[in-house]
Amino acid sequence: MASNTTTTAAFSTSQSPTCTLVEQEPLLPWVSDNVLAIILPTIVYAIAGAFFHLLDTYNLFSTHRIHPSEDELKRNHVTKWECLKSVVRYHLMQISLGLLLNYGNNGPPMMVGDEACRIHDLALRFPSLRNVVPMALMALGIDARQLSIATQSTSAKLAHFVGGGGGSDAYNTTSSSATTPPPPSTLSLHLAKSLLTILIPGLQYTLALIIVDTWIYFTHRLCHVNKTLYRLVHAQHHRLYVSYAYGAVYAHWLETLFLDILSFVLAGEVARLSARQSMVFGAVATWKTISDHCGYVFPWDPLRWVNGNGAGFHDLHHQSWGLKVCFLFFVPFLGGGGGGREEIVGRFSLKSKNTD
């Protein structure tokens, strides 16, 4: 199928780039990005769950386990087969609802190719930034005009930069028409590019993360505070006193729907995540969920560098004496960390007489 193309010269200045819009090709030719964003979390879950299952089966990295492997059979109130069936149901629900919400999504296709134009357009909105470097040099007692003229023959780019985006010609008022807007400065272009490619996507991810985390934190806490909700819904998840990776989403179907799936649907809509952003967000969130329930505390776990709320922290919540603490999913300001492995095992040992 031929790609739709649109050529646009959206700006009036002679220095404006000409951009050609083309329909974005999917990452994989046999599946759309929207569908891939729906199924990718399940793929990540299956791969990560299988990886940790192999570690459990062959007793690898046993020194990093929170509980001895035999405790899974002694203390858990659900068999691994029953757990696996529930997990499969969870992912079938997740994929089915995702496909249902995506059905009939005949909106305009994602168009790309206008990045340079958007950067240029945004940079034109920062005309005052061209004066930042000359003003900073002036504050240091350096004549920016003379420095720009002196460096013109050596490095035009440097002269352009220190001259506030215009080089030595910026000080020649007769060299250009007064009615022609000046081109954006190099500093403005770099700032615009950083804003569009780093800051705005970063803010989108942050907003989505806060929405998911806040939703999960308070609904999860409600499931523990409200005895009826706990008994009828959330108690199923806590049949796993010694959690393992592929049992991370072992839960009642109502919890699957309202706590997990709904939180990510809301986050994606409010944060306006694209299909590819949803892939990244869903994959990382899935890995985080697996990591929290894997039963291992690795010193090199990159998620522990972000916060201390990993497997060790969440394991405390799965103990009978810790059911009303450690509700945190990711965002640090909603709670504290769980400490290192020795501290966690020590705290578990002190409480072991009260466990089921």
Side-chain angles (χ1 to χ4, degrees), residues 7 14 57 78 183 202 218 225 242 265 274 282 291 298 319 335 338:
T7 302
S14 59
T57 301
V78 61
F218 286 105
V225 173
V242 179
V265 171
S274 67
S291 177
F298 296 115
Q319 309 312 310

Side-chain angles (χ1 to χ4, degrees), residues 211-228:
I211 291 171
V212 167
D213 223 32
T214 302
W215 182 275
I216 290 180
Y217 177 85
F218 286 105
T219 53
H220 185 193
R221 193 180 191 101
L222 178 63
C223 285
H224 282 273
V225 173
N226 187 297
K227 294 181 179 180
T228 301

Side-chain angles (χ1 to χ4, degrees), residues 111-150:
M111 307 297 288
V112 295
D114 64 337
E115 291 82 3
C117 289
R118 291 192 294 117
I119 290 171
H120 185 272
D121 185 30
L122 183 59
L124 287 175
R125 304 182 186 184
F126 302 140
S128 61
L129 289 177
R130 67 174 58 250
N131 298 320
V132 170
V133 174
M135 289 178 65
L137 292 174
M138 185 183 299
L140 296 174
I142 301 173
D143 189 333
R145 177 180 181 278
Q146 292 299 326
L147 180 60
S148 178
I149 294 173

Side-chain angles (χ1 to χ4, degrees), residues 66-316:
I66 299 174
H67 303 284
S69 57
E70 56 269 18
D71 279 6
E72 291 181 3
L73 297 176
K74 292 179 181 178
R75 301 185 59 229
N76 287 340
H77 295 177
V78 61
T79 66
K80 287 195 170 185
W81 174 241
E82 291 173 331
C83 176
L84 181 60
K85 288 191 294 184
S86 177
V87 169
V88 171
R89 181 196 65 202
Y90 172 100
H91 287 285
L92 288 176
M93 284 183 61
Q94 176 177 278
I95 293 174
S96 299
L97 285 172
L99 293 176
L100 181 62
L101 292 172
N102 187 63
Y103 180 76
N105 183 12
N106 297 320
M110 177 67 73
M111 307 297 288
V112 295
D114 64 337
E115 291 82 3
C117 289
R118 291 192 294 117
I119 290 171
H120 185 272
D121 185 30
L122 183 59
L124 287 175
R125 304 182 186 184
F126 302 140
S128 61
L129 289 177
R130 67 174 58 250
N131 298 320
V132 170
V133 174
M135 289 178 65
L137 292 174
M138 185 183 299
L140 296 174
I142 301 173
D143 189 333
R145 177 180 181 278
Q146 292 299 326
L147 180 60
S148 178
I149 294 173
T151 56
Q152 181 68 37
S153 59
T154 305
S155 174
K157 289 185 177 180
L158 179 60
H160 186 84
F161 181 73
V162 300
S168 60
D169 289 340
Y171 301 97
N172 184 358
T173 58
T174 64
S175 62
S176 61
S177 172
T179 61
T180 303
S185 67
T186 303
L187 181 61
S188 296
L189 288 169
H190 282 302
L191 180 61
K193 183 176 181 180
S194 299
L195 187 64
L196 290 176
T197 61
I198 300 175
L199 182 60
I200 291 178
L203 290 175
Q204 286 179 283
Y205 284 125
T206 301
L207 176 60
L209 177 60
I210 291 174
I211 291 171
V212 167
D213 223 32
T214 302
W215 182 275
I216 290 180
Y217 177 85
F218 286 105
T219 53
H220 185 193
R221 193 180 191 101
L222 178 63
C223 285
H224 282 273
V225 173
N226 187 297
K227 294 181 179 180
T228 301
L229 276 177
Y230 182 82
R231 177 172 54 85
L232 296 178
V233 179
H234 193 54
Q236 178 173 329
H237 182 67
H238 282 279
R239 292 175 186 171
L240 290 175
Y241 285 89
V242 179
S243 61
Y244 42 85
Y246 72 79
V249 295
Y250 170 70
H252 192 279
W253 68 270
L254 282 173
E255 181 174 341
T256 296
L257 180 61
F258 290 103
L259 192 144
D260 292 335
I261 296 177
L262 184 56
S263 65
F264 283 89
V265 171
L266 286 173
E269 289 298 318
V270 174
R272 303 297 298 273
L273 298 181
S274 67
R276 295 189 180 182
Q277 285 178 307
S278 295
M279 292 180 204
V280 175
F281 187 69
V284 173
T286 299
W287 173 254
K288 169 63 176 171
T289 302
I290 286 278
S291 177
D292 284 350
H293 294 84
C294 69
Y296 290 83
V297 177
F298 296 115
W300 58 83
D301 182 359
L303 291 175
R304 293 188 66 200
W305 303 340
V306 180
N307 60 23
N309 309 299
F313 180 81
H314 193 68
D315 175 74
L316 302 178

Side-chain angles (χ1 to χ4, degrees), residues 38-84:
I38 293 169
I39 64 176
L40 184 60
T42 297
I43 296 173
V44 172
Y45 192 98
I47 294 173
F51 169 75
F52 282 107
H53 182 65
L54 288 176
L55 297 189
D56 294 343
T57 301
Y58 294 101
N59 200 31
L60 303 175
F61 298 105
S62 58
T63 56
H64 297 289
R65 286 188 67 110
I66 299 174
H67 303 284
S69 57
E70 56 269 18
D71 279 6
E72 291 181 3
L73 297 176
K74 292 179 181 178
R75 301 185 59 229
N76 287 340
H77 295 177
V78 61
T79 66
K80 287 195 170 185
W81 174 241
E82 291 173 331
C83 176
L84 181 60

